[in-house]
Amino acid sequence: AQSVSQHNHHVILSEAASLELGCNYSYGGTVNLFWYVQYPGQHLQLLLKYFSGDPLVKGIKGFEAEFIKSKFSFNLRKPSVQWSDTAEYFCAVNSNAGKSTFGDGTTLTVKP
Amino acid sequence: DGGITQSPKYLFRKEGQNVTLSCEQNLNHDAMYWYRQDPGQGLRLIYYSQIVNDFQKGDIAEGYSVSREKKESFPLTVTSAQKNPTAFYLCASSKERGAYNEQFFGPGTRLTVL
């Protein structure tokens, strides 16, 4: 069975601070990993994704994530957060059959 | 505009009644999904469909039913057998079946059972 664990439930940062949100997954097949974001009042949308190749992937709005196979991790990072990054962030893994499993989410609050 | 429509935004029902949540997409996507979102529990997969006239149970299918008679529509019925139906329900779609495709989400329906 596949599973996703996000360790931080609520993160509070000041503007310009660096961000790292943890995501660990469990899945026996080829991994397909995603980070989604839900800004206040908006739909969930894709932030970035990893299928294969370069383990460091870049997404929208300056976000990046690193796939570390040995650690079963896919952590999300941003060097300098802005107030507009306040949102809920979800890590997800897709199985080869197309079934998706999401983590519990991390709420990020950025103080201006 | 292409996208996913869920209606209504808020829905109230009495305990013991079945209720059907609507999900329509005009993105010409093959796959569609239903999730339940509860505070602190992320998104949990209820049902998914990779192609018309076919669907699979997700992790929490008990008390729910779906149909996929048309490519653009994937309605979810919350039956009286669902023990705790009050929740926020999200519908999503992806272009093709399989693992590689990102999902596009609708605005959600908040169901309250009184």
Side-chain angles (χ1 to χ4, degrees), chain B residues 53-105:
Chain B
N53 292 322
D54 187 40
F55 49 83
Q56 288 78 40
K57 292 182 179 179
D59 298 316
I60 56 165
E62 186 174 349
Y64 300 97
S65 66
V66 294
S67 63
R68 187 85 188 277
E69 297 175 1
K70 298 187 295 182
K71 187 175 185 178
E72 59 270 23
S73 178
F74 192 41
L76 172 74
T77 297
V78 185
T79 75
S80 56
Q82 168 49 235
K83 293 186 173 64
N84 186 19
T86 294
F88 187 59
Y89 291 88
L90 279 169
C91 180
S93 70
S94 62
K95 186 177 180 183
E96 296 168 345
R97 60 190 299 170
Y100 306 109
N101 298 280
E102 69 182 90
Q103 293 179 39
F104 294 80
F105 287 85

Side-chain angles (χ1 to χ4, degrees), chain A residues 15 37 39-40 61 63 78 81-87 89 110:
Chain A
E15 276 194 313
V37 60
Y39 297 105
K61 303 187 180 185
F63 285 89
K78 186 170 184 179
V81 295
Q82 300 172 315
W83 176 79
S84 58
D85 293 323
T86 294
Y89 294 81
V110 179

